[in-house]
Amino acid sequence: EVQLVESGGGLVQAGGSLRLSCAASGFTFDDYAIGWFRQAPGKEREVVSCISSGDGSTYYADSVKGRFTISSDNAKNTVYLQMNSLKPEDTAVYYCAAGTELKEAPNYGMDYWGKGTLVTVSS
């Protein structure tokens, strides 16, 4: 059974940091790209960052470049999203997802999705 389990969300003040984790199981981790996506209330889901577990190549949305860092621990089948200098507009439910490659919305080419973790940034 494929599982993607996010953790690490919470409430933080603007300017603070959080680290999200995505623990994956049930598929060949090295064959997939793992992405972080977010959906704020009333808004469409958007891609935040993505990493290829095979070659380590990364993608960042312009809105998070320089503030967020994605990394992968292939030994643990876990992907992390380090979020620094958080802003109120980063408030959203953050999802991790796995697919062979990152594509366009709405599903971004992802085959499997986690249930999400809520990040709330207060001003």
Side-chain angles (χ1 to χ4, degrees), residues 36 53 62 73 80 87 121:
W36 284 99
S53 299
D62 287 343
D73 185 336
Y80 304 97
K87 305 175 181 180
V121 184

Side-chain angles (χ1 to χ4, degrees), residues 31-89:
D31 290 346
Y32 280 78
I34 309 294
W36 284 99
F37 303 81
R38 67 186 181 187
Q39 187 165 21
K43 294 189 177 181
E44 293 185 351
R45 183 171 56 191
E46 62 178 356
V47 60
V48 175
S49 183
C50 191
I51 186 166
S52 169
S53 299
D55 64 13
S57 56
T58 58
Y59 166 85
Y60 293 95
D62 287 343
S63 59
V64 306
K65 281 181 182 175
R67 300 188 299 123
F68 291 10
T69 303
I70 193 169
S71 62
S72 176
D73 185 336
N74 288 24
K76 295 183 178 180
N77 284 7
T78 300
V79 171
Y80 304 97
L81 185 69
Q82 178 67 43
M83 306 187 295
N84 298 329
S85 302
L86 282 160
K87 305 175 181 180
E89 51 264 44

